[in-house]
Amino acid sequence: MELIVVDIFMPDMDGLEVIQLVRKTRPANKIIATLERSGEMDHLDIAKHLGAHATLKKPFSLQELLEAVAIRN
């Protein structure tokens, strides 16, 4: 299993599209979705719905990242 950390807002393909693609092509991979913009929490909810194992709002601490990596699904 691999870990993918994806930002929701990226050029070319947004993180929600990446999550959907990874779920179809590599379903065993773990995905953590991140988001910097405030007031956009619904995007993190959508990321979870699409298959992200965890979500983090930037800036996040190393401890928060380690806890998200440790989440088992």
Side-chain angles (χ1 to χ4, degrees), residues 20-66:
Q20 293 177 76
L21 179 63
V22 170
R23 281 292 138 248
K24 288 179 186 174
T25 60
R26 297 181 179 251
N29 287 1
K30 185 173 196 171
I31 302 170
I32 298 174
T34 67
L35 177 66
E36 185 169 13
R37 298 181 186 174
S38 60
E40 305 268 356
M41 291 304 291
D42 58 322
H43 285 90
L44 292 180
D45 292 336
I46 293 168
K48 287 285 279 187
H49 178 74
L50 293 174
H53 292 85
T55 59
L56 295 170
K57 187 173 179 189
K58 294 179 193 175
F60 50 84
S61 68
L62 176 58
Q63 183 62 36
E64 289 172 308
L65 177 60
L66 293 174

